[in-house]
Amino acid sequence: MAGILLVSYPATEGASFDHDYYTGTHMPLVKEKWGPLGLTDAVALFPDDDAPTAVAVAVLTFTDGAARDAAISGSTAATVFGDVANFTTISPAAQRLTG
């Protein structure tokens, strides 16, 4: 069963979020660092309603929960998580799911 990491960036008044950096730099970094660890798909989604609860959501799919957990706790996690400050002032919320 696939291990999924759902990462959302809650809509926060006064916060900044650089969509171009997120899609052009951060998501490729996630794929580069976590692909070898079992990441099979990474999708960035953006709400199209007038009052979104999140400015962006990422769905990261891994081969299984063990691969997901190894990625988010392994040596490359600091690089991935450290890059967040380059595109947003929002603290992301992450949820581990099974699918």
Side-chain angles (χ1 to χ4, degrees), residues 7-91:
V7 183
S8 62
Y9 297 86
T12 307
E13 188 173 336
S16 64
F17 191 96
D18 184 337
H19 289 78
D20 292 334
Y21 186 96
Y22 185 64
T23 57
T25 302
H26 183 71
M27 291 303 283
L29 174 71
V30 169
K31 293 174 184 177
E32 173 193 335
K33 297 298 182 186
W34 288 350
L37 301 176
L39 179 72
T40 60
D41 195 25
V43 178
L45 304 169
F46 303 100
D48 61 2
D49 55 358
D50 292 335
T53 58
V55 297
V57 175
V59 181
L60 309 178
T61 305
F62 293 83
T63 53
D64 55 33
R68 175 203 57 218
D69 294 347
I72 64 175
S73 65
S75 62
T76 59
T79 301
V80 171
F81 298 143
D83 190 52
V84 172
N86 292 323
F87 63 87
T88 189
T89 57
I90 300 169
S91 294

